[in-house]
Amino acid sequence: MTRRRPAPMEAGLSGRCLECGEGRLFSRWLTFEPRCLACGADFASFEDAGDGPAVFVIFIVGILIVPIPVLLSLALGWSIWLLRVLRGVIFAQGWAKHAREQQFKNT
């Protein structure tokens, strides 16, 4: 039986052996297996992903997370500005219509 070598993307996403596609690539969450338990491929002599994965994680998470505080700050600023504008408009409308509270005297 001949084993099909998986595409690099397929092997990486599935966490399977780069040679046979059957054995595990990782022994723990981020630790590579020293060798494939299915075909014996030697991962220990080649293991070097470098800083690439960390850079991609920083960019991806940064794109998703950084806008949140920015949007919250904008929402706070817009809310205060809009509250001021609408308060002024409603006050001006009441002033123009002479809509003042009636002062009742106790008799």
Side-chain angles (χ1 to χ4, degrees), residues 3-22 25:
R3 294 179 176 164
R4 178 184 72 84
R5 177 184 270 183
M9 186 69 82
E10 178 187 350
L13 288 172
S14 67
R16 292 292 178 196
C17 175
L18 309 169
E19 285 294 324
C20 68
E22 293 180 22
L25 186 58

Side-chain angles (χ1 to χ4, degrees), residues 25-102:
L25 186 58
F26 296 97
S27 62
R28 293 190 202 143
W29 189 246
L30 294 175
T31 305
F32 287 110
E33 285 280 3
R35 65 180 52 256
C36 176
L37 300 175
C39 72
D42 180 20
F43 302 141
S45 64
F46 186 75
E47 177 193 335
D48 183 20
D51 292 335
V55 171
F56 283 115
V57 167
I58 289 168
F59 283 135
I60 292 167
V61 172
I63 287 169
L64 299 174
I65 298 299
V66 168
I68 292 172
V70 172
L71 290 175
L72 288 174
S73 298
L74 287 174
L76 180 63
W78 289 340
S79 297
I80 292 170
W81 174 79
L82 193 56
L83 184 60
R84 177 187 166 99
V85 169
L86 292 176
R87 239 182 131 194
V89 168
I90 291 172
F91 181 75
Q93 289 292 327
W95 186 272
K97 302 288 184 188
H98 302 288
R100 292 181 176 78
E101 287 187 29
Q102 297 292 325

